[in-house]
């Protein structure tokens, strides 16, 4: 049997290419392997699973990461220029008081390592990739999931020499290299603290320990720390400390779960570097994307062209004039009158929360949401991008055979320390589009995209 199937012109949007991989095992075998890899992690049960990795052309795969890296650098510069100090940026972003914590004592270190862990979210629009947001945080979803999916696909598709008919980096291998580089750059021991908490809803201990176990078996020393265990990372003999680590949590999640952040601050104050640093919140805010979309005085013509091509039109919502398609418009009347073209997003939010898609609500609900966002002052409006589809092969519960489906995937390129680390994606198995969050309480599926 051929490894690839040529779908011809029936493969969906041309960006996804014409080829896909054929299933390499019976449906039940694939189903069991996929569920076994993510067992006891808290990952939601999915009634529809992928039958193969999603294959895209090498040129498309390279484009995603090449553009991601360029946009992240522009995003970083945009965020840092909003104020010369942390205090200035907190004021410029009107950050909630809950985010004014967990800062490094050295502002240079705080700023330098803010973008170590990034996952943009993008869709393929009618004209190609469009970046909808940038998740900048050590607590990104998709890392362990992508590692686990790739392990299954490697077991099923590799030949006797371990060669696969596709290319993809392993996320944890790239992250391990990031920590090796950090330890070398800072002249610190390569001992890594993975910091999180199983008291947060939807995550179990194995989720964190999988990462620590990987590092321990690949030349690093690592340990998972609950916050109350963190004194053991710094209050001990120097050769037993964990001077670098991953901040695998968000402040809102911990506050919701009643988890105290004080032990993390103590660890930071005693010299532990946990990435990404709190400055990542400025890069993560959608306000930064609004500033970048509108253009910064220091941008070159080429940078403006890149932003125009890959970012949908995004504006910080306020009562003012702004450019739209080469002409000046009054922003609030334009937003009020064109809900079918726009999406309203809060500056901070996770899993599609605080997002209103104009065409999915009535005019009264849209206007109410816009008025509330103007009062709050920390929201953006963004041009709606209609996601394009590709054909893939899925396995549904109760079925002995895979089936074809047209899906509209949201792509999540993983980037650690400026290096591509795998391409996570998620989608609705029934082909519908919209806010796709595997943890969001609505049935959806996830997979990885690989280059062929």
């Amino acid at each position: 049997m051929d490894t690839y199937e040529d779908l011809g012109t029936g493969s969906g949007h041309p960006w996804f290419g014409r080829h896909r991989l054929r299933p390499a095992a019976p449906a039940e075998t694939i189903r069991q392997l996929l569920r076994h890899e993510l067992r006891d992690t808290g990952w939601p049960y999915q009634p529809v699973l992928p039958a193969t990795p999603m294959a895209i052309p090498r040129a498309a795969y390279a484009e995603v990461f090449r553009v991601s890296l360029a946009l992240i650098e522009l995003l970083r510069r945009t965020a840092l220029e909003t104020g010369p100090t942390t205090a200035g940026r907190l004021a410029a972003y009107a950050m909630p008081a809950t985010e004014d914590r967990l800062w490094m004592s050295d502002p240079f270190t705080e700023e330098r390592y803010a973008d170590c862990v990034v996952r943009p979210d993008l869709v393929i629009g009618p004209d190609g990739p469009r970046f909808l947001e940038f998740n900048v945080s050590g607590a990104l979803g998709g890392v362990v999931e992508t590692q686990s999916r790739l392990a299954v696909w490697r077991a099923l598709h590799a030949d006797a020499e371990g060669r696969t008919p596709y290319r993809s980096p392993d996320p944890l291998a790239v992250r391990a290299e990031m920590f090796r580089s950090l330890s070398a750059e800072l002249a610190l021991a390569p001992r890594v603290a993975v910091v999180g908490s199983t008291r947060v809803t939807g995550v179990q201990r194995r989720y964190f320990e999988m990462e620590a176990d990987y590092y321990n078996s690949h030349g690093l020393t690592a340990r998972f720390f609950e916050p109350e265990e963190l004194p053991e990372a710094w209050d001990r003999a120097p050769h037993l400390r964990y001077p670098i680590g991953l901040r695998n949590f968000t402040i809102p999640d911990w506050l919701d779960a009643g988890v105290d952040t004080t032990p993390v601050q103590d660890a930071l104050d005693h010299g532990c570097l946990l990435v990404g640093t709190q400055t990542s919140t400025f890069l993560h805010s959608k306000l930064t994307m609004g500033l970048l979309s509108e253009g910064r005085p220091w941008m070159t013509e080429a940078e403006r062209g890149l932003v125009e091509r890959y970012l949908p039109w995004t504006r910080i919502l306020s009562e003012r004039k702004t450019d739209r398609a080469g002409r000046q418009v009054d922003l609030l009347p334009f937003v009020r009158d064109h809900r079918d073209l726009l999406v309203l997003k809060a500056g901070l939010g996770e899993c599609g929360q605080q997002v209103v898609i104009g065409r999915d609500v009535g005019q009264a609900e849209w206007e109410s949401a816009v008025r509330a966002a103007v009062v709050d002052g920390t929201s953006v409006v963004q041009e709606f991008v209609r996601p394009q589809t590709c054909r893939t092969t899925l396995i549904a519960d109760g079925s002995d055979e895979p089936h074809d489906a047209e899906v509209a995937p949201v792509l999540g390129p993983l980037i650690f320390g400026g290096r591509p680390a795998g391409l996570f994606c998620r989608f609705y198995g029934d082909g519908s589009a919209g806010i796709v969050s595997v943890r969001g309480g609505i049935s959806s599926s996830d997979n990885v995209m690989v280059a062929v």
Side-chain angles (χ1 to χ4, degrees):
M1 183 177 71
D2 292 338
T3 302
Y4 301 111
E5 178 183 6
D6 189 339
L7 298 174
T9 57
S11 60
H13 191 279
W15 187 90
F16 293 105
R18 298 168 51 124
H19 295 88
R20 68 176 177 182
L21 291 156
R22 297 180 185 274
E28 183 58 24
T29 300
I30 298 171
R31 184 185 292 120
Q32 290 180 3
L33 288 172
L34 288 171
R35 289 185 174 147
H36 178 77
E37 281 295 323
L38 279 170
R39 69 192 184 282
D40 301 327
T41 62
W43 198 237
Y45 182 88
Q46 297 176 13
V48 178
L49 293 168
T52 68
M54 297 175 72
I56 60 175
R58 291 183 185 179
Y61 195 93
E63 179 186 23
V64 166
F65 286 100
R66 181 178 69 253
V67 175
S68 293
L69 289 166
L71 291 175
I72 289 167
E73 178 56 34
L74 294 176
L75 201 76
R76 172 189 174 84
R77 184 172 178 184
T78 299
L80 293 181
E81 75 156 0
T82 58
T85 64
T86 293
R89 292 175 206 129
L90 287 167
Y93 281 84
M95 278 288 176
T98 52
E99 293 292 337
D100 187 10
R101 64 180 75 192
L102 305 187
W103 305 101
M104 300 285 297
S105 59
D106 177 9
F108 178 78
T109 301
E110 172 67 45
E111 294 176 9
R112 178 170 177 78
Y113 299 108
D115 60 351
C116 284
V117 186
V118 186
R119 192 203 74 210
D121 282 346
L122 63 135
V123 297
I124 306 307
D127 300 318
R130 291 293 183 271
F131 288 71
L132 304 182
E133 64 182 47
F134 293 82
N135 303 285
V136 189
S137 165
L140 298 179
V143 180
V144 170
E145 298 79 11
T146 297
Q147 184 79 20
S148 298
R149 299 295 189 221
L150 285 170
V152 172
W153 303 139
R154 187 180 303 107
L156 293 175
H157 292 273
D159 63 17
E161 283 74 42
R163 295 171 299 194
T164 58
Y166 56 81
R167 294 184 181 180
S168 173
D170 284 348
L172 294 185
V174 178
R175 194 128 85 181
E177 186 58 35
M178 177 189 77
F179 282 122
R180 289 190 191 94
S181 296
L182 279 176
S183 64
E185 181 174 317
L186 297 166
L188 297 170
R191 296 171 59 85
V192 180
V194 177
V195 182
S197 179
T198 56
R199 297 194 288 281
V200 172
T201 301
V203 63
Q204 298 180 29
R205 189 174 186 89
R206 184 171 179 269
Y207 186 85
F208 302 109
E209 290 183 337
M210 284 175 66
E211 183 157 4
D213 290 347
Y214 182 93
Y215 298 153
N216 284 320
S217 63
H218 288 79
L220 296 168
T221 300
R223 176 184 160 186
F224 165 52
F225 288 87
E226 289 274 1
E228 60 271 13
E229 299 169 333
L230 274 173
E232 299 175 41
W234 56 266
D235 190 14
R236 49 173 45 196
H239 69 285
L240 296 177
R241 295 172 185 167
Y242 290 81
I244 57 176
L246 180 71
R247 188 175 137 164
N248 201 341
F249 66 90
T250 69
I251 292 174
D253 281 348
W254 274 21
L255 295 180
D256 287 345
V259 180
D260 186 9
T261 62
T262 303
V264 179
Q265 188 66 67
D266 290 341
L268 298 175
D269 292 343
H270 286 87
C272 294
L273 169 62
L274 302 178
V275 296
T277 60
Q278 181 63 14
T279 296
S280 66
T281 307
F282 300 123
L283 282 69
H284 179 81
S285 172
K286 297 173 187 67
L287 301 185
T288 309
M289 192 173 173
L291 293 170
L292 182 58
S293 174
E294 196 153 3
R296 314 312 302 154
W298 44 262
M299 290 171 65
T300 68
E301 185 175 344
E303 289 167 342
R304 292 178 185 276
L306 182 83
V307 168
E308 183 176 351
R309 177 177 177 184
Y310 288 102
L311 293 190
W313 181 87
T314 307
R315 292 294 185 268
I316 297 175
L317 187 62
S318 63
E319 189 172 352
R320 63 192 177 95
K321 289 184 177 292
T322 189
D323 178 77
R324 168 70 181 179
R327 65 185 182 91
Q328 289 287 300
V329 298
D330 289 316
L331 183 56
L332 292 187
F334 176 83
V335 170
R336 183 194 62 223
D337 296 340
H338 295 86
R339 65 178 172 83
D340 58 316
L341 301 179
L342 300 171
V343 180
L344 177 66
K345 299 181 176 183
L348 297 178
E350 308 292 338
C351 300
Q353 300 172 28
Q354 297 87 41
V355 175
V356 181
I357 300 175
R359 62 185 59 201
D360 291 348
V361 300
Q363 184 66 25
E365 183 178 348
W366 175 252
E367 291 186 13
S368 176
V370 169
R371 284 195 298 271
V374 171
V375 172
D376 182 73
T378 58
S379 295
V380 300
V381 286
Q382 186 175 85
E383 183 178 8
F384 175 80
V385 180
R386 182 178 295 279
Q388 304 299 291
T389 64
C390 62
R391 193 193 299 183
T392 191
T393 311
L394 303 176
I395 300 171
D397 277 0
S399 175
D400 295 331
E401 296 293 335
H403 67 274
D404 282 0
E406 289 283 335
V407 301
V410 177
L411 285 62
L414 302 170
I415 299 171
F416 305 146
R419 302 178 181 91
L423 185 48
F424 179 62
C425 67
R426 55 199 193 276
F427 53 87
Y428 290 117
D430 62 4
S432 58
I435 300 167
V436 186
S437 172
V438 178
R439 292 191 184 274
I442 301 174
S443 177
S444 59
S445 302
D446 72 280
N447 199 0
V448 296
M449 284 188 166
V450 296
V452 297

